[in-house]
Amino acid sequence: MNEPLVDPGEPVKHTDDRDGLKEEGVPKRLLSYKEALEALLPQVPSPVSIQTPLLSSLGRILANSVGADRDLPPFDKSFMDGFAVRSQDAVSAPVWLKVVGIVAAGTSSLPTIGAGEAAQIMTGAPMPPGADAVQMVEKTRAVEGAFVELTESVRPGQNVSFRGTEVKCGDTVLPAGRSVNAAAIGVLATFGKTEVDVLNTPKAVIVSTGDELVAVDQRPSFGQIRNSNGPMLWALCQELGVEAEIFPSVRDNPEEIAAAIDKALESDLVLFSGGVSMGEYDYVYRVLVERGVDLLFHKVAVKPGKPICVGRKGACMVFGLPGNPVSAFVTFQLFVRPSVRQWMGCGSGSLPQIEATLLKNVKQKPGRTFF
């Protein structure tokens, strides 16, 4: 693990400088956003393959390629309602043919089509032996007796899907690394995949800290605010397909924070909000180290979200996000999102970047990337 970039022991003393970056025990130059990601992403656990029921695989990433267990179509079939015929009997039209049977989808008993004969056939039904084309019903006319008139000629293979023309048995139909969406579910079902090998998604725990926090359903007293970060971070996790649990908020008390950390570290991913800055009551980053979390970094040259800290204990990743809701939202997108996407086998998941021209000036001190 990387050595922490800040001593988690005594409270950090602040000294004023032009950029607000000079603090005792902290390097004068903070990690840039790019440098922080370079330190973070190699520490993200590798994806793990698990098997899940078909209907639970939606939104997951395929761990292995999926092959066809049969040809598709599995038999020669009609893709029109009409009449199955021998094309050589219908080179010139109009022509009368004797109807020797009806073939519906799912039929296993098929008539054999001989010279001058035809069988009524439905869309998706298997082609009867001897027939090599289908004339659609709109181009036929019923005539007296057991006969049908084809009003237009038919060429070989017309309106027929032949066995294996879409997929051959053994062909790869879905590659490893593919996200399972509704279309993929249909393909998996087509080839009998009741169980699917997918990459596991981490389970997250969300802990908000602060003496000022009250539950969403409570009316805040003077000096209090509702805990909006918990539900917001939960929703951000859901958008990534990550199952998350919101722990009760924790007061700015080292013992309570330590107890919450010990419980939270049993999960794969821990998201703290608040308590990571340099104030007298910002205990989270210090208690994290005391509980055996190796800090990868604490504070990054970004705005908003400078106080963020990130660490790891075993396979558990810990993100200490700022308590300000905007900062918590932005740092989730900048650091948690790419980590989780990589964890799930989706690549880094970094946000797209475009170039644009500002229509008005933005005030921003040098030294930090402004998001």
Side-chain angles (χ1 to χ4, degrees):
M1 287 295 177
N2 295 354
E3 292 298 321
L5 299 181
V6 62
D7 180 4
E10 295 298 318
V12 175
K13 298 178 182 178
H14 291 258
T15 59
D16 293 331
D17 77 324
R18 183 174 62 85
D19 295 324
L21 303 179
K22 185 178 180 182
E23 295 165 352
E24 186 176 318
V26 181
K28 293 181 180 179
R29 189 188 69 81
L30 299 182
L31 291 179
S32 68
Y33 174 55
K34 179 182 178 182
E35 290 169 334
L37 276 186
E38 290 173 348
L40 166 60
L41 294 180
Q43 299 296 330
V44 174
S46 300
V48 176
S49 175
I50 63 169
Q51 197 170 72
T52 187
L54 172 64
L55 297 185
S56 298
S57 66
L58 184 64
R60 311 291 278 272
I61 302 299
L62 289 176
N64 301 306
S65 296
V66 176
D69 69 340
R70 64 193 310 210
D71 292 338
L72 190 67
F75 46 80
D76 298 347
K77 68 177 184 178
S78 172
F79 60 82
M80 288 285 183
D81 290 333
F83 288 84
V85 301
R86 302 190 329 156
S87 58
Q88 64 211 67
D89 291 338
V91 174
S92 58
V95 61
W96 284 24
L97 299 174
K98 183 178 181 181
V99 179
V100 295
I102 299 177
V103 184
T107 297
S108 58
S109 178
L110 303 175
T112 298
I113 307 304
E117 296 179 338
Q120 189 175 359
I121 194 167
M122 312 305 170
T123 301
M127 290 291 291
D132 66 344
V134 172
Q135 181 58 283
M136 65 176 63
V137 69
E138 292 85 353
K139 295 181 179 180
T140 65
R141 185 175 66 88
V143 293
E144 60 186 49
F147 287 87
V148 64
E149 181 185 29
L150 276 57
T151 59
E152 290 188 13
S153 60
V154 180
R155 65 181 184 278
Q158 184 171 326
N159 297 325
V160 178
S161 292
F162 291 99
R163 176 175 178 169
T165 51
E166 294 181 39
V167 175
K168 294 288 188 183
C169 183
D171 285 353
T172 296
V173 290
L174 293 171
R178 159 73 186 263
S179 177
V180 180
N181 57 12
I185 290 285
V187 173
L188 291 166
T190 295
F191 296 105
K193 299 299 181 181
T194 58
E195 298 287 329
V196 185
D197 294 327
V198 297
L199 298 179
N200 197 18
T201 57
K203 291 182 171 57
V205 163
I206 299 165
V207 184
S208 301
T209 67
D211 291 342
E212 74 280 15
L213 298 180
V214 298
V216 176
D217 61 355
Q218 295 183 21
R219 186 171 184 82
S221 301
F222 179 77
Q224 295 181 323
I225 58 173
R226 292 187 176 96
N227 176 17
S228 62
N229 280 353
M232 177 186 69
L233 293 173
W234 178 89
L236 288 169
C237 287
Q238 300 306 304
E239 289 178 352
L240 290 176
V242 172
E243 180 182 334
E245 178 183 359
I246 303 176
F247 277 14
S249 59
V250 179
R251 294 184 301 169
D252 293 318
N253 176 286
E255 289 74 24
E256 291 188 21
I257 292 172
I261 288 173
D262 289 343
K263 185 178 180 181
L265 288 175
E266 298 174 2
S267 65
D268 304 313
L269 173 65
V270 181
L271 303 178
F272 275 93
S273 68
V276 296
S277 192
M278 311 303 291
E280 186 70 24
Y281 297 104
D282 290 320
Y283 297 111
V284 169
Y285 77 94
R286 282 172 275 175
V287 179
L288 284 173
V289 175
E290 291 172 2
R291 309 313 285 182
V293 176
D294 293 306
L295 286 190
L296 304 177
F297 52 80
H298 179 210
K299 301 207 305 182
V300 179
V302 296
K303 179 181 181 181
K306 172 185 168 185
I308 183 173
C309 69
V310 179
R312 177 173 173 174
K313 184 175 183 181
C316 180
M317 296 294 299
V318 181
F319 292 80
L321 310 180
N324 177 277
V326 173
S327 295
F329 183 92
V330 171
T331 49
F332 184 99
Q333 301 288 4
L334 296 181
F335 297 98
V336 181
R337 183 179 187 272
S339 300
V340 170
R341 293 283 293 172
Q342 178 177 302
W343 203 336
M344 294 170 61
C346 305
S348 69
S350 297
L351 296 172
Q353 298 185 20
I354 61 171
E355 290 188 4
T357 301
L358 294 174
L359 298 180
K360 60 182 179 179
N361 292 333
V362 174
K363 293 183 178 180
Q364 167 66 10
K365 291 183 179 180
R368 284 197 279 171
T369 303
F370 179 39
F371 290 92

